[in-house]
Amino acid sequence: MGIIVANLFVTLDGVYQAPGGSEEDTAGGFAFGGWQAPVSDDEAGAAIGEEIGRIDALLLGRKTYDIFAAYWPHQSDEIGGTLNRVPKFVVSNSLVAPAWAGTKVLQNAAAAGRLREEFDEVHMFGSGVLIRSLLAADVLDRLHLWLYPITLGQGKRIFDAGTVPASFRLAEPARTFPKGAVSLVYDRAGSVATQNMPGA
């Protein structure tokens, strides 16, 4: 059985919206598109490249798929080569004929969960809405947060209203990068346990 890994670039206050560019996602009047590059560095970039190199299949939500499908088919670097080569899956109720070669449409999070029967490592990038759906369906195995040392005070947050209670365990040692970013890899660890602290 394989695993589904969600990679998410996120700020200290939990914002994942539009890390890559000013026009990536302006929903809600978001004014900070492109926030990732100024707080990234070569070491962090290399680590992200290593993560992409592990992909056996790519899973995306519809909005992130549209962004990727408009850019990556025209790239021939190592990352582009990987993303264009691997099977791609997009969860959507409206997409009928995906243009990016090698893409299949899935109807829901449960269907995405069955990809673990076919692939060792199914990776996601972005796709915050889909991440929440996978968590609710209990089919997300690993959460890889790339945490960046900024706060934005606005934008889409991964753990917002409606977040499903869940516990996680650290799957790898935390990794830090020169400009302050931190890689945090967590595996799903079941439901939330509660216990009184001494003296509480």
Side-chain angles (χ1 to χ4, degrees):
M1 180 71 74
I3 61 172
I4 296 177
V5 183
N7 293 273
L8 196 66
F9 307 127
V10 64
T11 66
L12 292 177
D13 56 339
V15 175
Y16 69 88
Q17 187 171 352
S22 59
E23 301 302 317
E24 185 177 308
D25 182 357
T26 59
F30 187 63
F32 297 103
W35 53 262
Q36 182 183 15
V39 286
S40 192
D41 50 66
D42 290 344
E43 288 187 26
I48 293 167
E50 292 168 6
E51 188 76 5
I52 292 171
R54 296 165 59 173
I55 293 176
D56 295 310
L58 181 65
L59 173 64
L60 299 170
R62 175 62 190 275
K63 289 182 179 179
T64 305
Y65 174 80
D66 286 344
I67 293 169
F68 275 41
Y71 179 78
W72 287 111
H74 312 291
Q75 308 305 311
S76 58
D77 59 7
E78 188 172 351
I79 291 176
T82 297
L83 297 181
N84 287 309
R85 172 181 50 79
V86 300
K88 289 163 281 292
F89 299 89
V90 55
V91 177
S92 174
N93 292 318
S94 59
L95 184 62
V96 176
W100 194 2
T103 299
K104 293 182 180 179
V105 178
L106 304 175
Q107 294 302 308
N108 52 43
R114 290 193 288 272
L115 294 175
R116 296 178 295 184
E117 300 171 10
E118 302 178 48
F119 303 99
D120 289 333
E121 291 198 23
V122 180
H123 282 250
M124 304 170 58
F125 289 87
S127 306
V129 173
L130 179 56
I131 289 174
R132 287 193 288 270
S133 295
L134 294 174
L135 285 169
D138 198 18
V139 294
L140 182 65
D141 304 291
R142 178 166 290 179
L143 184 60
H144 189 168
L145 298 177
W146 302 83
L147 185 66
Y148 290 84
I150 55 171
T151 55
L152 299 179
Q154 64 168 267
K156 298 174 182 177
R157 289 175 168 82
I158 186 57
F159 298 123
D160 213 334
T163 296
V164 175
S167 63
F168 299 82
R169 60 174 169 268
L170 196 63
E172 299 176 4
R175 185 175 175 185
T176 61
F177 302 100
K179 287 192 175 181
V182 182
S183 166
L184 297 166
V185 182
Y186 292 100
D187 282 348
R188 186 74 178 262
S191 58
V192 175
T194 62
Q195 179 178 338
N196 289 335
M197 294 293 289

